[in-house]
Amino acid sequence: MMPIHWAAFTLAFQLCTDPIERVTKAASAQNINIATPKIGETVVIAAKEIPTSTWWRNFSI
């Protein structure tokens, strides 16, 4: 699973990291692998490994 359209635009009053924090927590609770590519990072759908870092936690504007 890969969430899309988060952290790229300010569309709400919540923190831009709120959606990814909620979805990674829910995925972990259900033992679902989740891809977390950096904004603009290429992801190969059929790849054996997917980006899974929590890069947004160390990112600053």
Side-chain angles (χ1 to χ4, degrees):
M1 175 169 61
M2 182 171 69
I4 59 173
H5 298 295
W6 67 273
F9 304 97
T10 302
L11 299 175
F13 295 114
Q14 66 192 15
L15 293 174
C16 64
T17 57
D18 185 54
I20 194 65
E21 289 292 344
R22 287 187 289 134
V23 76
T24 53
K25 182 178 178 182
S28 178
Q30 295 182 30
N31 201 29
I32 296 172
N33 293 330
I34 187 167
T36 57
K38 294 177 182 173
I39 296 170
E41 182 177 355
T42 300
V43 176
V44 178
I45 301 299
K48 291 185 180 186
E49 294 199 19
I50 59 173
T52 58
S53 71
T54 55
W55 61 268
W56 62 92
R57 292 181 182 157
N58 299 319
F59 186 77
S60 62
I61 297 174

